[in-house]
Amino acid sequence: MISLYHKIFTRGITIMKKTTSADHAGKARGRFSGGLGYVLAVAGSAVGLGNIWRFPYLAAKYGGGMFLLVYLILVVTFGYALIVTETALGRMTRKSPVGAFHAFGSSLPFQIGGWVNAVVPMLIVPYYCVIGGWVLKYLAEYLRGSSLKLAEDGYFTEFIASSVSVELWFILFSALVFFVILAGVKQGIERVSRVMMPLLVLLAMFVAVYSVTRPGAWEGVKYFLVPKLEDFSFMTVIAAMGQMFYSLSIAMGILYTYGSYIGKDVDIEKSTAQVEFFDTAIALLAGMMVIPAVFVFSGGDMETLKAGPSLAFITLPKIFASMEMGGLVGIAFFLMFFFAALTSAISLMETSISTFEDELKWSRPRCCMLMVLVMLLVGSASSLGYGALDFVKIFGMAFLDFFDFLTNSVMMPVAAFSTCILVIRVVGFERIAGEVERSSAFRRKKLYCFFLKYVAPICIGIILISSIANVLGIISL
Ligand code: PFF
């Protein structure tokens, strides 16, 4: 591999990069400064809305401690295998997903495999930014001292139906994402992650400690942490599997793209373990924040927790309003929620733009403009879907719910399946192992091969079938 170093100027910022023969001529590929910057950026991508509202309600609904145990096992096996694979393929080819698949073949299956991975973040980021806008609005209201107003019945439903306001918050959140993206990989993404991720941990610890020390909270902590055999069911495994996928940002091209921005000296195995630790620790802290607090508030009635997505925007504001220091806890919670949403949205946006840069060979600002167009179309449809566009339903779903279903339940399992097949049938385990071993010994190589070959394809099939069955109302997730 020929390596040569050169400096380029992007908007006055010097980015050091090492090019490889796989880079397209004359174009500088962004680069993380090293292991820590990379780990924080991937952790920033992984820790998102999924950890903070999705994990606690799924854990509460599907067996508390038992769910946690199953989830942890899946993260260190199935999740680990997929993260290592996507990162190694990204670094090996120095491309985002379409180019990475193309590097091994140009026939239709390779194109489908690459594009399905690449299109997922393009469809997710617009609606993710709509939810990011909701978070920003709540944060602003807490900062203005309106915690009681947020706790009123019907506040959230009225807000998401108020087309103009939702659209403005969506645009504001998206503008913040673009601002970071335009600053580049190291000066933008890495810098923001380095500041926001440690702050996020501190805020999460503050809210979790406050929540578990409320009188009566201990019962909730026990339910969340202690596995009981009688709480185990098939649905525990299915829900934990889906959540693992969602939470670790697998099958949406992000790990390919971020993998293409790291040097050959970054230890892929170690950084994967660190990202998994970080992501799981935040999910655990979120569980500690939410489950005991809801337990106390509802007098031990777990039905309140099963509220699902509305938990963060309807139930929690009511709980905060009933607490002393509730306004402060609300600020801490929504600030943390905002950091989590922003860093994840950045990774989704960067992956989309990187695909355009690689495939269209356009400049970064031009690719950003194309993404602005996608955001305005898909994002505005999602943001207005509960208001002005309420009358439009796709398979009975509002736009936001439909894009969420399409990406998470259909496209992501297909994307992950394509990656598994690419490695099993074309790339081969030895080349992946060779890529990992460029920086360190591949300590869990046997485990990796076993999980990628036998466990991952079966698990992915189960996720696909169960999530479609969920939408059709055959099962209830
Ligand atoms: N992993 C992030 C989260 O948990 O929120 C990012 C993400 C995952 C965004 C899945 C969107 C998505 F569908």
Side-chain angles (χ1 to χ4, degrees):
M1 183 73 63
I2 313 155
S3 291
L4 59 103
Y5 290 85
H6 62 130
K7 278 183 179 178
I8 56 129
F9 279 89
T10 309
R11 290 169 57 80
I13 296 157
T14 309
I15 301 174
M16 286 291 288
K17 70 161 290 243
K18 193 190 274 184
T19 58
T20 71
S21 50
D23 283 335
H24 50 264
K27 269 206 128 188
R29 198 163 189 79
R31 191 79 186 269
F32 290 118
S33 60
L36 181 65
Y38 165 71
V39 167
L40 288 175
V42 180
S45 164
V47 174
L49 302 171
N51 299 59
I52 296 165
W53 64 257
R54 206 170 185 265
F55 183 85
Y57 88 75
L58 285 177
K61 191 167 173 184
Y62 293 107
M66 201 44 163
F67 176 91
L68 190 59
L69 183 66
V70 173
Y71 180 80
L72 290 177
I73 294 173
L74 287 168
V75 165
V76 295
T77 53
F78 175 32
Y80 160 82
L82 281 171
I83 296 185
V84 168
T85 305
E86 293 191 9
T87 312
L89 285 171
R91 188 172 74 172
M92 190 190 287
T93 58
R94 288 254 175 269
K95 292 283 179 197
S96 32
V98 179
F101 272 77
H102 192 80
F104 300 103
S106 52
S107 59
L108 195 62
F110 290 96
Q111 294 200 19
I112 295 176
W115 277 107
V116 78
N117 272 276
V119 170
V120 170
M122 294 172 196
L123 291 179
I124 291 180
V125 68
Y127 83 74
Y128 205 81
C129 287
V130 172
I131 306 178
W134 300 350
V135 173
L136 208 51
K137 156 81 177 170
Y138 271 58
L139 175 60
E141 290 295 345
Y142 272 108
L143 287 169
R144 285 175 51 196
S146 322
S147 57
L148 293 179
K149 190 168 93 185
L150 296 176
E152 278 167 16
D153 283 336
Y155 180 84
F156 178 63
T157 354
E158 259 171 49
F159 165 61
I160 59 170
S162 68
S163 307
V164 177
S165 174
V166 184
E167 183 72 6
L168 286 177
W169 286 104
F170 154 63
I171 291 173
L172 182 61
F173 186 87
S174 309
L176 291 174
V177 176
F178 275 114
F179 185 71
V180 177
I181 294 287
L182 278 170
V185 173
K186 204 182 343 175
Q187 300 291 337
I189 304 174
E190 184 174 328
R191 230 184 191 182
V192 164
S193 310
R194 275 181 189 269
V195 175
M196 287 192 176
M197 294 317 283
L199 278 176
L200 189 148
V201 175
L202 288 179
L203 290 167
M205 283 164 79
F206 165 73
V207 183
V209 168
Y210 186 80
S211 172
V212 298
T213 49
R214 295 308 86 207
W218 203 240
E219 276 310 303
V221 177
K222 267 193 348 216
Y223 174 71
F224 177 47
L225 293 183
V226 184
K228 285 204 210 94
L229 210 56
E230 66 264 28
D231 290 333
F232 182 83
S233 74
F234 182 56
M235 292 304 285
T236 308
V237 184
I238 293 189
M241 216 155 25
Q243 173 60 14
M244 184 219 69
F245 234 78
Y246 193 102
S247 190
L248 292 176
S249 292
I250 293 168
M252 49 185 92
I254 292 172
L255 300 165
Y256 281 91
T257 307
Y258 278 18
S260 77
Y261 296 156
I262 51 171
K264 299 289 182 194
D265 52 325
V266 172
D267 184 334
I268 293 183
E269 246 199 322
K270 194 166 121 203
S271 41
T272 300
Q274 288 168 341
V275 167
E276 288 186 328
F277 175 78
F278 212 120
D279 188 63
T280 310
I282 298 294
L284 269 170
L285 281 175
M288 299 287 250
M289 283 177 233
V290 175
I291 297 178
V294 176
F295 218 81
V296 175
F297 177 75
S298 63
D301 171 21
M302 294 313 270
E303 285 309 309
T304 320
L305 256 175
K306 296 175 187 170
S310 58
L311 188 70
F313 297 100
I314 298 176
T315 318
L316 285 181
K318 286 192 197 301
I319 296 176
F320 295 153
S322 74
M323 288 173 162
E324 32 172 326
M325 278 171 50
L328 188 65
V329 178
I331 293 176
F333 181 85
F334 277 95
L335 188 59
M336 176 198 66
F337 209 12
F338 165 64
F339 288 163
L342 187 70
T343 47
S344 295
I346 289 169
S347 70
L348 291 159
M349 184 77 82
E350 174 63 31
T351 304
S352 312
I353 289 170
S354 176
T355 299
F356 290 146
E357 283 185 288
D358 286 349
E359 298 315 309
L360 304 174
K361 314 270 187 282
W362 286 1
S363 68
R364 198 168 165 86
R366 209 165 162 204
C367 294
C368 287
M369 285 316 292
L370 182 57
M371 255 333 267
V372 169
L373 208 69
V374 175
M375 293 292 288
L376 283 176
L377 281 174
V378 183
S380 301
S382 305
S383 94
L384 302 176
Y386 304 105
L389 296 179
D390 191 25
F391 60 94
V392 188
K393 296 278 182 261
I394 311 174
F395 299 118
M397 289 176 261
F399 280 109
L400 193 152
D401 300 292
F402 172 71
F403 288 123
D404 187 53
F405 162 71
L406 180 68
T407 49
N408 280 283
S409 305
V410 184
M411 294 176 77
M412 277 159 63
V414 175
F417 194 71
S418 315
T419 298
C420 291
I421 299 300
L422 180 71
V423 173
I424 297 168
R425 302 287 298 271
V426 183
V427 183
F429 291 103
E430 282 315 311
R431 279 176 81 183
I432 298 286
E435 185 60 40
V436 174
E437 282 162 357
R438 279 170 173 267
S439 47
S440 64
F442 195 173
R443 293 170 288 272
R444 287 192 263 169
K445 184 172 164 185
K446 283 208 177 92
L447 189 79
Y448 166 81
C449 294
F450 176 76
F451 276 101
L452 200 78
K453 200 165 177 181
Y454 301 108
V455 183
I458 298 171
C459 289
I460 292 164
I462 296 176
I463 296 175
L464 181 63
I465 295 166
S466 61
S467 40
I468 292 179
N470 179 43
V471 165
L472 296 179
I474 302 166
I475 57 171
S476 151
L477 270 176

